[in-house]
Amino acid sequence: IKHKEQSTHKEHKKIFGGVSVDDNLLAKAEFESNNAIALISFGESAAESTLLERCVLSIRRRGQFDGHVVVITDAPEERYDGVFDENVIVLKANEDDILYD
């Protein structure tokens, strides 16, 4: 007995809870294009650690989020050069805007 699903792409769609895989991918792409994750990383110890890189890696791998990640930091600009993919935006905070006690 042959299974009826054979020839067309539409016939090969798998249905999960009434929503096709294609619909899930479209919803994910729309979500990622309309949303961003913001991370704040300040201080010398933060700049010296790899915690920020690990966080972004976790967002990408475990969270399966390929959208924009915005990093606000006081680290030197060269600290994160070439570290992240093109969807990670590193913003250098202005010293004048930082309030210290």
Side-chain angles (χ1 to χ4, degrees):
I1 298 173
K2 284 188 174 181
H3 196 273
K4 287 186 177 182
E5 290 185 313
Q6 284 183 359
S7 60
T8 68
H9 176 69
K10 288 182 181 180
E11 290 174 346
H12 285 98
K13 283 185 181 179
K14 293 182 181 177
I15 305 297
F16 296 97
V19 179
S20 73
V21 171
D22 291 342
D23 291 340
N24 284 336
L25 291 175
L26 287 172
K28 181 181 184 298
E30 183 178 347
F31 177 83
E32 289 176 352
S33 67
N34 292 320
N35 293 279
I37 295 175
L39 300 172
I40 300 171
S41 179
F42 278 74
E44 189 175 319
S45 62
E48 291 174 356
S49 77
T50 59
L51 188 58
L52 184 63
E53 291 94 323
R54 292 172 53 202
C55 182
V56 172
L57 188 61
S58 177
I59 289 168
R60 295 288 188 238
R61 289 185 180 171
R62 299 289 294 165
Q64 298 180 354
F65 182 78
D66 297 319
H68 286 95
V69 175
V70 180
V71 175
I72 303 167
T73 184
D74 62 347
E77 291 181 27
E78 63 275 359
R79 167 61 179 90
Y80 298 111
D81 283 348
V83 173
F84 301 115
D85 62 63
E86 66 278 354
N87 281 344
V88 177
I89 301 165
V90 179
L91 299 176
K92 175 83 166 104
N94 293 324
E95 285 292 321
D96 298 338
D97 295 332
I98 301 172
L99 301 176
Y100 295 102
D101 288 345

